[in-house]
Amino acid sequence: MSAEGLTVEVTRPEDDAVSRLVKDQVASKLAAKDATLWGPDAEPEASIRLGWVDLPRTSRPLLAEIEALQAQLRQEGLDHIVLSGMGGSSLAPEVITTTANVPLTVLDSTDPSVIARAIGQDLDRTVLVVSSKSGSTVETDSHRRAYLKAFADAGIDGPSRIVVVTDPGSPFAELAAREGYRKVFLADPNVGGRYSALTAFGLVPAGLAGADVAELLDQAEAVLPALAQDSADNPALALGAALGAGHQAGRDKVVLGEGTTSVTGFGAWAEQLIAESTGKLGRGLLPVDVGGTSDATPGWANPGPDVTPVAIGTPEQTVPGLVVTDGSLGALFQVWETAVAVAGRLIGINPFDQPNVEEAKKAARSLLDQPPSQESAPSPAFADGAVEVYGDEKLLAGASSVEQALSAIVEAVPERGYLALLAYLDRDADADAARLRPALAASVPFQVTFGFGPRYLHSTGQYHKGGHPNGAFVEITGAVTDDLEVPGRPYTFGQLIYAQAVGDLGILRDKGFPTLRFHLTDRKAGLAQLLDAAGKVRT
């Protein structure tokens, strides 16, 4: 099925589900922003979260504002754009600028080495875009404080270098006005973060960095007529049915692979959209971003009965039950948002709330308010080389090596479950951590996911706690050699990332999930040990 700039192909079509969606006029009702589509419990939230439906048209006035500010900044020699944002505030601008091949430094970490490296790059040419609906997000607030101090230390007027994206009337908008920041862009308050790609949250940082965001809106607007049609040819209904009816048939995992396409990094954005929208009430779709479609991983090369494999672009191989979506980035944004909302109706959840996201934030705040003393800090079960191992004695069952500990957590994964690898490390300097996913996935009969923390807390973190309760979790933390203060706060970035890591793992453990933490006393050596052990694990 195709529309202008978009193709959706489903080799295992859910014809009955599509017929029901057509009969119920779901497409036209969604285009009309009918908040009753997801039932009475969801209606209050849905009624204030459907602004994304016509963003390709309503976001047009932003273009002139973005263009004018970009021209001013370039005239002043300010061409290094840094984005401080989490979840939808960072994932959409990242895929937009990566696809457009324009530079944008994305700060979605609290690792002190990441912050220090970003601040140390071209500060004299830097503009910081801080994106937060409320401004209370601990990561973005900490980034803003660190940059203001760095600007002041360099003799630069900090407020003139800060651009804010927030909701109208938010505490952040008030702060920005009070402190005299360069520019405040107000986003549509009736759009949730994961649906905000075509609001100011996606368009402002990408546009200031040099991406053609007008073209992005053109691409999305071109597919609106097709997405509003109550027809079996509607590509969003086909995709939504494949996801939603697939879930009802037991396929609760969506493996996202990137084939030949003009779009780069779409899986990370779709991962948040799927996980936060559907992972709740013990239901939902677990997204597994595997990178290239040639990766020989379970669920892509040999999809099991719990998997719907999806290719973004032309796949390098064909697999049973494959769904292919391809086209321009703007079109893909619009069709996936529509399809996931449709899938939510079929699954029976509210796709616009995220009831479990706040749990990790509260746990981190608690640890920051009352940090454990050196005497009360937990002791490792054992140490092996550059790795300290923390976990339940029953789970570890006498293990004394990293390989044995990994084997223990692999054995603890429930039937039709998954293993999540969560790395609170430096996404660039410790990039080898991402190799752990394919190394383990090649030898286990279940899906393995990977995410850098705290980034994943604003993405798959909702699914981990609210979705199907069949996960096991491995967290990886690393020694901090050069910490960095958070100005105006009684903690450092090193303490903040530790609190976020330990707090989230504690919640997962308290919910009864198998958990394990590897702490790297030497990051490079420790990662080498983990990769070696991952290659030896067998089930």
Side-chain angles (χ1 to χ4, degrees):
M1 300 170 189
S2 63
E4 185 176 345
L6 174 73
T7 301
V8 174
E9 299 174 3
V10 183
T11 59
R12 181 169 48 199
E14 299 286 352
D15 293 333
D16 290 344
V18 171
S19 295
R20 292 199 307 273
L21 293 169
V22 171
K23 181 181 178 182
D24 293 342
Q25 299 180 310
V26 169
S28 58
K29 288 179 179 179
L30 182 53
K33 302 183 183 179
D34 185 339
T36 68
L37 285 169
W38 301 273
D41 289 344
E43 187 174 349
E45 180 80 16
S47 67
I48 58 170
R49 286 290 178 259
L50 292 174
W52 57 271
V53 169
D54 52 5
L55 282 174
R57 300 187 182 111
T58 60
S59 285
R60 295 285 172 178
L62 277 171
L63 298 178
E65 287 189 75
I66 295 170
E67 185 178 353
L69 179 58
Q70 187 197 39
Q72 292 175 12
L73 297 176
R74 294 297 189 267
Q75 190 174 19
E76 296 172 27
L78 304 177
D79 58 359
H80 181 230
I81 307 300
V82 178
L83 169 62
S84 167
M86 301 300 297
S89 299
S90 65
L91 293 165
E94 188 168 57
V95 68
I96 294 169
T97 52
T98 303
T99 296
N101 196 28
V102 298
L104 175 68
T105 297
V106 176
L107 270 185
D108 56 2
S109 174
T110 49
D111 186 285
S113 62
V114 173
I115 312 305
R117 184 171 60 249
I119 289 175
Q121 293 176 348
D122 301 317
L123 191 66
D124 60 324
R125 296 170 27 232
T126 292
V127 172
L128 178 69
V129 179
V130 187
S131 290
S132 174
K133 289 182 74 65
S134 68
S136 63
T137 306
V138 66
E139 295 94 342
T140 53
D141 179 68
S142 300
H143 299 157
R144 179 185 62 85
R145 291 170 178 272
Y147 262 90
L148 280 173
K149 182 179 185 301
F151 285 136
D153 289 347
I156 296 170
D157 177 42
S160 71
R161 299 292 190 89
I162 294 182
V163 173
V164 167
V165 183
T166 190
D167 277 358
S170 72
F172 196 23
E174 296 172 4
L175 173 71
R178 189 166 61 247
E179 298 198 356
Y181 293 161
R182 178 67 176 257
K183 173 75 174 177
V184 177
F185 287 90
L186 299 177
D188 187 335
N190 293 321
V191 180
R194 56 189 174 275
Y195 290 84
S196 66
L198 301 180
T199 69
F201 285 106
L203 301 179
V204 168
L208 294 181
D212 188 343
V213 290
E215 181 183 27
L216 195 71
L217 293 180
D218 290 342
Q219 295 166 351
E221 187 170 6
V223 300
L224 289 182
L227 302 188
Q229 292 297 313
D230 294 310
S231 164
D233 293 328
N234 184 325
L237 295 187
L239 178 56
L243 299 175
H247 175 275
Q248 303 307 79
R251 297 191 296 277
D252 61 345
K253 302 172 184 70
V254 178
V255 179
L256 298 159
E258 187 172 297
T260 303
T261 176
S262 60
V263 176
T264 304
F266 190 81
W269 176 83
E271 184 178 58
Q272 186 210 15
L273 177 69
I274 297 167
E276 277 202 346
S277 296
T278 69
K280 57 204 72 170
L281 301 178
R283 308 171 203 164
L285 296 163
L286 175 72
V288 186
D289 183 6
V290 302
T293 59
S294 61
D295 289 357
T297 59
W300 183 258
N302 299 293
D306 60 344
V307 166
T308 295
V310 179
I312 310 300
T314 304
E316 297 171 46
Q317 56 181 294
T318 300
V319 296
L322 181 64
V323 177
V324 178
T325 68
D326 197 13
S328 63
L329 179 56
L332 286 172
F333 278 146
Q334 202 69 27
V335 75
W336 271 89
E337 288 171 352
T338 307
V340 170
V342 168
R345 174 183 167 89
L346 294 173
I347 295 169
I349 48 85
N350 173 5
F352 306 113
D353 67 350
Q354 49 279 332
N356 301 102
V357 167
E358 189 64 25
E359 291 177 330
K361 297 179 183 180
K362 289 180 179 178
R365 283 196 295 266
S366 176
L367 284 168
L368 289 171
D369 291 340
Q370 294 182 313
S373 65
Q374 189 170 2
E375 294 76 18
S376 64
S379 300
F382 64 88
D384 177 14
V387 182
E388 294 176 345
V389 181
Y390 295 80
D392 182 73
E393 289 183 9
K394 184 177 179 181
L395 172 72
L396 290 170
S400 59
S401 70
V402 169
E403 182 182 343
Q404 290 171 348
L406 265 181
S407 295
I409 195 77
V410 163
E411 290 296 326
V413 175
E415 185 178 0
R416 296 171 70 96
Y418 68 96
L419 178 64
L421 305 176
L422 311 170
Y424 283 80
L425 300 171
D426 184 324
R427 190 150 61 113
D428 294 320
D430 304 320
D432 277 352
R435 293 171 51 205
L436 287 167
R437 194 208 65 78
L440 271 175
S443 58
V444 297
F446 47 76
Q447 290 302 319
V448 181
T449 69
F450 178 87
F452 277 103
R455 169 186 170 115
Y456 79 84
L457 292 174
H458 301 261
S459 177
T460 53
Q462 166 61 42
Y463 183 95
H464 294 162
K465 303 172 192 70
H468 291 278
N470 56 5
F473 301 87
V474 173
E475 201 170 81
I476 307 164
T477 55
V480 173
T481 54
D482 295 301
D483 209 346
L484 185 67
E485 69 170 311
V486 179
R489 290 289 185 254
Y491 48 81
T492 64
F493 277 101
Q495 291 168 326
L496 173 55
I497 197 170
Y498 174 82
Q500 291 176 305
V502 174
D504 190 52
L505 199 67
I507 291 170
L508 295 167
R509 183 180 60 248
D510 291 345
K511 288 180 179 290
F513 294 115
T515 62
L516 198 61
R517 179 164 71 95
F518 294 117
H519 180 70
L520 314 180
T521 55
D522 179 299
R523 295 193 182 199
K524 184 176 181 180
L527 281 175
Q529 275 185 257
L530 286 177
L531 283 164
D532 180 66
K536 296 176 180 176
V537 169
R538 295 291 181 269
T539 58

